[in-house]
Amino acid sequence: VIAGDLAFSVTVFSICALACLGTILYRRNSFGAELGGPRGVKVNTTIFFVLLWILYVSVASWKVLAGDKSVAEMAIAITGGVCALGVCMGIITGVVHYINWRHTAEQQAQKDIIHEAFEHLHKHDSQAKMLAVLSSRDVWQAMGELKT
């Protein structure tokens, strides 16, 4: 291993490791959980850690393939990688939250349709009322299963 490549790789690794440790300390103080906690926070942390790993592999590979580069070029590569990490973090997080929002909206729409159907039955037919009461337990149980 060429010494310049190793020093650069260790520097990038150290930056990524400090970012991970800082994230874990922040989460411990803010949420009382290093890797658990609220779903949104878990998803964002997972995305951040995966992108840090991609950053490390990409920048370290760039240095090996590029050969000898000046300190300024290496600093620009690291800075560009961190900026790319921020942009990717924003895009991926936005997409994940949009998908979750759509899923929640679809579930709510299904619940609303079922609720309206039962209301209609209750208003118009006494036999249908009895049937609706008996079958509503099964429907609400099925809707509970949709949540999971």
Side-chain angles (χ1 to χ4, degrees):
V1 176
I2 300 170
D5 292 344
L6 181 61
F8 179 77
S9 180
V10 169
T11 301
V12 173
F13 179 84
S14 298
I15 291 168
C16 291
L18 288 173
C20 286
L21 292 174
T23 302
I24 289 172
L25 288 174
Y26 169 75
R27 287 177 49 84
R28 179 181 294 167
N29 293 331
S30 298
F31 306 107
E34 287 85 2
L35 298 176
R39 178 171 165 70
V41 176
K42 288 190 291 192
V43 169
N44 287 340
T45 302
T46 301
I47 293 167
F48 180 65
F49 285 167
V50 169
L51 288 174
L52 275 177
W53 174 75
I54 291 171
L55 170 73
Y56 169 70
V57 170
S58 299
V59 174
S61 298
W62 167 81
K63 175 62 173 95
V64 170
L65 294 174
D68 288 334
K69 293 292 181 183
S70 69
V71 173
E73 289 173 316
M74 290 186 281
I76 290 171
I78 293 172
T79 304
V82 169
C83 290
L85 181 135
V87 169
C88 289
M89 181 78 185
I91 291 170
I92 293 170
T93 300
V95 168
V96 167
H97 287 293
Y98 175 76
I99 290 169
N100 286 337
W101 173 80
R102 288 284 304 213
H103 180 69
T104 303
E106 288 172 1
Q107 282 184 337
Q108 186 60 44
Q110 290 173 353
K111 288 178 185 178
D112 291 344
I113 290 169
I114 291 171
H115 183 71
E116 287 176 22
F118 279 123
E119 282 183 5
H120 180 74
L121 286 174
H122 285 291
K123 288 180 184 177
H124 296 294
D125 188 358
S126 61
Q127 283 185 330
K129 284 183 186 178
M130 192 59 116
L131 180 62
V133 169
L134 293 175
S135 64
S136 66
R137 235 180 286 134
D138 297 330
V139 172
W140 287 113
Q141 182 180 3
M143 285 182 8
E145 291 172 5
L146 282 176
K147 284 184 177 179
T148 58

